[in-house]
Amino acid sequence: MKITAKCPECGCIFSLSEGIKEWQALFENGDKCTATDVVCPVCGTSETVQADNAETLKLFRRQLEYLSRGTKKSAKKARRIDILLDNSRSKLMERLKILSLNSADVKEPIHFVISTESED
């Protein structure tokens, strides 16, 4: 499966693996966060698409563990964890947004279009 992204600024379509960049954020209370950005290789437009900390990474590993078991019961547990994971990541993204509002480089939000194609 090939995952591609389309830049909303220049229209370039590129492999998502080419445009992923990670960076660290440090919040005012000392909490650390790893942010993942999609960056257009042509024009440099970027958007933060995910945020993780120790808690979300632990939830993600637990979710993968349940999914690998392949039972209906474990799939149900994985879905519950997915809700917790989405909620935790959403809160982290809000904290990152507040952090960026306090910095000098505030930009209007942009949205990359991510799509998948099956490889033959």
Side-chain angles (χ1 to χ4, degrees):
M1 181 182 300
K2 182 179 178 182
I3 302 173
T4 59
K6 182 177 180 181
C7 178
E9 296 294 319
C10 70
C12 172
I13 297 175
F14 56 95
S15 172
L16 192 58
S17 61
E18 295 172 15
I20 294 290
K21 299 232 190 273
E22 290 185 342
W23 54 279
Q24 297 287 318
L26 182 63
F27 297 115
E28 60 283 345
N29 64 353
D31 289 347
K32 293 181 182 178
C33 172
T34 301
T36 304
D37 288 358
V38 174
V39 181
C40 176
V42 175
C43 69
T45 300
S46 69
E47 175 186 16
T48 302
V49 293
Q50 184 171 302
D52 283 302
N53 61 8
E55 177 189 346
T56 61
L57 293 175
K58 182 179 175 182
L59 285 170
F60 182 67
R61 282 191 293 275
R62 190 179 313 154
Q63 182 184 36
L64 288 179
E65 194 177 295
Y66 283 128
L67 288 172
S68 68
R69 293 180 186 170
T71 65
K72 287 182 180 181
K73 186 177 181 179
S74 60
K76 187 176 181 179
K77 288 180 180 181
R79 282 192 298 274
R80 278 192 235 133
I81 289 174
D82 191 47
I83 292 167
L84 293 172
L85 186 58
D86 286 346
N87 188 33
S88 295
R89 283 180 171 159
S90 178
K91 288 178 183 177
L92 282 174
M93 289 293 285
E94 285 299 316
R95 289 180 73 189
L96 280 176
K97 184 190 265 185
I98 291 169
L99 192 64
S100 69
L101 289 174
N102 293 332
S103 69
D105 62 340
V106 177
K107 299 177 186 173
E108 286 295 314
I110 56 164
H111 301 286
F112 281 85
V113 177
I114 310 294
S115 60
T116 60
E117 299 172 6
S118 60
E119 294 181 18
D120 295 330

Coordinates of all heavy atoms in Angstrom, one line a residue, residues 63-106:
Q63 N -2.6 -1.1 22.3 CA -3.6 -1.3 21.3 C -3.1 -2.3 20.3 O -3.8 -3.2 19.9 CB -3.9 0.1 20.6 CG -4.9 -0.1 19.5 CD -5.1 1.3 18.7 OE1 -4.2 2.0 18.5 NE2 -6.3 1.5 18.4
L64 N -1.8 -2.2 19.9 CA -1.2 -3.1 18.9 C -1.2 -4.5 19.5 O -1.4 -5.5 18.8 CB 0.2 -2.7 18.5 CG 0.3 -1.4 17.6 CD1 1.7 -1.1 17.3 CD2 -0.5 -1.7 16.3
E65 N -0.9 -4.6 20.8 CA -0.9 -5.9 21.5 C -2.2 -6.6 21.4 O -2.3 -7.8 21.0 CB -0.5 -5.6 22.9 CG -0.1 -6.8 23.7 CD 0.3 -6.4 25.1 OE1 1.3 -5.7 25.3 OE2 -0.4 -6.8 26.0
Y66 N -3.3 -5.8 21.7 CA -4.6 -6.4 21.6 C -5.0 -6.8 20.1 O -5.6 -7.8 19.9 CB -5.7 -5.4 22.1 CG -5.7 -5.4 23.6 CD1 -5.7 -4.2 24.3 CD2 -5.9 -6.6 24.4 CE1 -5.7 -4.1 25.7 CE2 -5.9 -6.5 25.8 CZ -5.9 -5.3 26.4 OH -5.9 -5.3 27.8
L67 N -4.7 -5.9 19.2 CA -5.0 -6.2 17.8 C -4.3 -7.5 17.3 O -4.8 -8.2 16.5 CB -4.7 -5.0 16.9 CG -5.6 -3.8 17.0 CD1 -5.0 -2.6 16.3 CD2 -7.0 -4.2 16.6
S68 N -3.0 -7.7 17.7 CA -2.3 -8.8 17.3 C -2.8 -10.2 17.8 O -2.6 -11.2 17.2 CB -0.8 -8.7 17.7 OG -0.7 -8.8 19.1
R69 N -3.7 -10.1 18.8 CA -4.3 -11.4 19.3 C -5.3 -11.9 18.4 O -5.5 -13.1 18.3 CB -4.9 -11.1 20.7 CG -3.8 -10.8 21.7 CD -4.4 -10.6 23.1 NE -3.4 -10.2 24.0 CZ -3.6 -9.7 25.2 NH1 -4.9 -9.6 25.6 NH2 -2.7 -9.3 26.0
G70 N -6.0 -11.1 17.7 CA -7.0 -11.5 16.6 C -8.3 -12.1 17.1 O -9.0 -12.7 16.4
T71 N -8.6 -11.8 18.4 CA -9.9 -12.3 18.9 C -10.9 -11.1 18.9 O -10.5 -9.9 18.9 CB -9.8 -12.8 20.3 OG1 -9.4 -11.8 21.2 CG2 -8.8 -14.0 20.3
K72 N -12.2 -11.4 19.0 CA -13.3 -10.4 19.0 C -13.1 -9.6 20.3 O -13.3 -8.4 20.3 CB -14.6 -11.0 18.9 CG -15.0 -11.5 17.5 CD -16.4 -12.0 17.5 CE -16.7 -12.5 16.1 NZ -18.1 -13.0 16.0
K73 N -12.9 -10.3 21.4 CA -12.7 -9.6 22.7 C -11.6 -8.6 22.7 O -11.7 -7.5 23.2 CB -12.6 -10.6 23.8 CG -12.6 -10.1 25.2 CD -12.5 -11.2 26.2 CE -12.5 -10.6 27.6 NZ -12.5 -11.7 28.7
S74 N -10.4 -9.0 22.2 CA -9.3 -8.2 22.1 C -9.5 -7.0 21.1 O -9.0 -5.9 21.4 CB -8.0 -8.9 21.8 OG -8.1 -9.6 20.6
A75 N -10.2 -7.2 20.1 CA -10.5 -6.2 19.1 C -11.4 -5.1 19.8 O -11.2 -3.9 19.5 CB -11.2 -6.7 17.9
K76 N -12.3 -5.6 20.6 CA -13.2 -4.6 21.3 C -12.4 -3.8 22.3 O -12.6 -2.6 22.4 CB -14.3 -5.4 22.1 CG -15.3 -4.6 22.7 CD -16.4 -5.4 23.4 CE -17.5 -4.6 24.0 NZ -18.5 -5.4 24.6
K77 N -11.4 -4.4 23.0 CA -10.5 -3.7 23.9 C -9.7 -2.7 23.1 O -9.4 -1.6 23.6 CB -9.6 -4.6 24.7 CG -10.4 -5.4 25.7 CD -9.5 -6.3 26.5 CE -10.2 -7.1 27.5 NZ -9.3 -8.1 28.3
A78 N -9.2 -3.1 21.9 CA -8.4 -2.2 21.1 C -9.2 -1.0 20.7 O -8.7 0.1 20.6 CB -7.9 -3.0 19.9
R79 N -10.5 -1.1 20.4 CA -11.3 0.0 20.0 C -11.5 1.0 21.2 O -11.5 2.2 21.0 CB -12.7 -0.5 19.5 CG -12.7 -1.0 18.1 CD -14.1 -1.2 17.5 NE -14.8 -2.2 18.2 CZ -14.8 -3.5 18.0 NH1 -14.0 -4.0 17.1 NH2 -15.6 -4.3 18.7
R80 N -11.6 0.4 22.4 CA -11.7 1.3 23.6 C -10.5 2.1 23.8 O -10.5 3.3 24.1 CB -12.0 0.5 24.8 CG -13.5 0.2 24.9 CD -13.8 -0.4 26.3 NE -14.5 -1.7 26.1 CZ -14.2 -2.8 26.8 NH1 -13.3 -2.8 27.7 NH2 -14.9 -3.9 26.5
I81 N -9.3 1.4 23.6 CA -8.1 2.1 23.7 C -7.9 3.2 22.6 O -7.4 4.2 22.8 CB -6.9 1.1 23.6 CG1 -6.9 0.3 24.9 CG2 -5.5 1.8 23.5 CD1 -5.9 -0.8 25.0
D82 N -8.4 2.9 21.4 CA -8.4 3.8 20.3 C -9.1 5.2 20.7 O -8.6 6.2 20.4 CB -9.0 3.3 19.0 CG -8.7 4.1 17.8 OD1 -7.5 4.5 17.6 OD2 -9.6 4.4 17.1
I83 N -10.2 5.0 21.4 CA -10.9 6.2 21.8 C -10.1 7.0 22.8 O -9.9 8.3 22.7 CB -12.3 5.8 22.5 CG1 -13.2 5.3 21.4 CG2 -12.9 7.0 23.2 CD1 -14.4 4.6 21.9
L84 N -9.4 6.3 23.8 CA -8.6 7.0 24.7 C -7.4 7.6 24.1 O -7.0 8.8 24.4 CB -8.1 6.0 25.8 CG -9.1 5.4 26.7 CD1 -8.5 4.3 27.6 CD2 -9.6 6.5 27.6
L85 N -6.8 6.9 23.1 CA -5.7 7.4 22.3 C -6.0 8.7 21.5 O -5.3 9.7 21.6 CB -5.1 6.3 21.4 CG -3.9 6.6 20.6 CD1 -2.7 6.8 21.6 CD2 -3.5 5.3 19.8
D86 N -7.1 8.7 20.9 CA -7.6 9.8 20.1 C -7.8 11.0 21.0 O -7.4 12.2 20.7 CB -8.9 9.6 19.4 CG -8.7 8.7 18.1 OD1 -7.5 8.5 17.7 OD2 -9.7 8.2 17.6
N87 N -8.4 10.8 22.2 CA -8.6 11.9 23.2 C -7.3 12.4 23.7 O -7.2 13.7 23.8 CB -9.5 11.3 24.3 CG -9.9 12.4 25.2 OD1 -10.2 13.6 24.8 ND2 -10.1 12.1 26.5
S88 N -6.4 11.6 24.0 CA -5.1 12.1 24.6 C -4.3 12.8 23.5 O -3.7 13.9 23.8 CB -4.2 10.9 25.0 OG -4.8 10.2 26.1
R89 N -4.3 12.3 22.3 CA -3.6 13.0 21.2 C -4.3 14.4 20.9 O -3.6 15.4 20.6 CB -3.5 12.2 19.9 CG -2.5 11.1 20.0 CD -2.4 10.2 18.8 NE -1.3 9.3 18.8 CZ -1.2 8.2 18.1 NH1 -2.2 7.9 17.3 NH2 -0.2 7.4 18.2
S90 N -5.6 14.4 20.9 CA -6.3 15.7 20.7 C -5.9 16.7 21.7 O -5.7 17.9 21.4 CB -7.8 15.4 20.7 OG -8.5 16.6 20.6
K91 N -5.8 16.3 23.0 CA -5.4 17.2 24.1 C -4.0 17.7 23.8 O -3.7 18.9 24.0 CB -5.5 16.6 25.4 CG -7.0 16.4 25.9 CD -7.0 15.7 27.2 CE -8.5 15.4 27.7 NZ -8.5 14.7 28.9
L92 N -3.1 16.8 23.4 CA -1.7 17.3 23.1 C -1.7 18.2 21.9 O -0.9 19.2 22.0 CB -0.9 16.0 22.8 CG -0.4 15.2 24.0 CD1 0.3 14.0 23.4 CD2 0.5 16.0 24.9
M93 N -2.5 18.0 20.9 CA -2.6 18.9 19.8 C -3.0 20.3 20.2 O -2.5 21.3 19.7 CB -3.4 18.4 18.7 CG -2.9 17.2 17.9 SD -1.4 17.5 17.0 CE -2.1 18.4 15.6
E94 N -4.0 20.3 21.1 CA -4.5 21.6 21.6 C -3.4 22.4 22.4 O -3.2 23.6 22.3 CB -5.7 21.4 22.6 CG -7.0 21.1 21.8 CD -7.4 22.2 20.9 OE1 -7.3 23.4 21.2 OE2 -7.8 21.9 19.7
R95 N -2.6 21.6 23.2 CA -1.5 22.2 23.9 C -0.4 22.7 23.0 O 0.1 23.8 23.2 CB -0.9 21.2 24.9 CG -1.8 20.9 26.1 CD -1.2 19.9 27.0 NE -0.1 20.5 27.8 CZ 0.7 19.9 28.6 NH1 0.6 18.5 28.7 NH2 1.6 20.5 29.2
L96 N -0.2 22.0 21.9 CA 0.8 22.5 20.9 C 0.3 23.7 20.2 O 1.0 24.6 19.9 CB 1.0 21.4 19.8 CG 2.0 20.3 20.1 CD1 2.0 19.2 19.0 CD2 3.4 20.8 20.4
K97 N -1.0 23.8 19.9 CA -1.6 25.0 19.3 C -1.5 26.2 20.2 O -1.1 27.2 19.7 CB -3.1 24.7 19.0 CG -3.8 25.9 18.3 CD -5.3 25.7 18.3 CE -5.8 25.0 17.0 NZ -7.2 24.9 17.0
I98 N -1.7 26.0 21.5 CA -1.5 27.1 22.5 C 0.0 27.5 22.5 O 0.3 28.7 22.5 CB -2.0 26.7 23.9 CG1 -3.5 26.6 23.8 CG2 -1.5 27.7 24.9 CD1 -4.1 26.0 25.1
L99 N 0.9 26.5 22.5 CA 2.3 26.8 22.5 C 2.7 27.6 21.2 O 3.4 28.6 21.3 CB 3.1 25.5 22.5 CG 4.6 25.6 22.8 CD1 4.8 26.1 24.2 CD2 5.2 24.2 22.7
S100 N 2.1 27.3 20.1 CA 2.5 28.0 18.8 C 1.8 29.4 18.8 O 2.4 30.3 18.2 CB 2.0 27.2 17.6 OG 0.6 27.2 17.5
L101 N 0.7 29.5 19.5 CA 0.1 30.9 19.6 C 0.9 31.8 20.4 O 0.9 33.0 20.1 CB -1.3 30.8 20.2 CG -2.4 30.2 19.3 CD1 -3.7 30.1 20.1 CD2 -2.6 31.0 18.0
N102 N 1.7 31.3 21.3 CA 2.6 32.1 22.1 C 3.9 32.4 21.4 O 4.7 33.2 21.8 CB 2.9 31.4 23.4 CG 1.7 31.3 24.3 OD1 0.8 32.1 24.2 ND2 1.6 30.3 25.2
S103 N 4.2 31.7 20.3 CA 5.4 32.0 19.5 C 5.1 33.1 18.4 O 4.0 33.4 18.2 CB 5.9 30.7 18.9 OG 5.1 30.3 17.9
A104 N 6.2 33.5 17.8 CA 6.0 34.6 16.8 C 5.6 34.1 15.4 O 5.2 34.9 14.6 CB 7.4 35.3 16.7
D105 N 5.7 32.8 15.1 CA 5.4 32.3 13.8 C 4.0 31.7 13.6 O 3.9 30.6 13.1 CB 6.5 31.3 13.3 CG 6.6 30.1 14.2 OD1 6.0 30.2 15.4 OD2 7.1 29.1 13.8
V106 N 3.0 32.4 14.0 CA 1.6 31.9 13.9 C 1.2 31.9 12.5 O 1.3 32.9 11.8 CB 0.7 32.7 14.8 CG1 -0.8 32.2 14.7 CG2 1.1 32.6 16.3

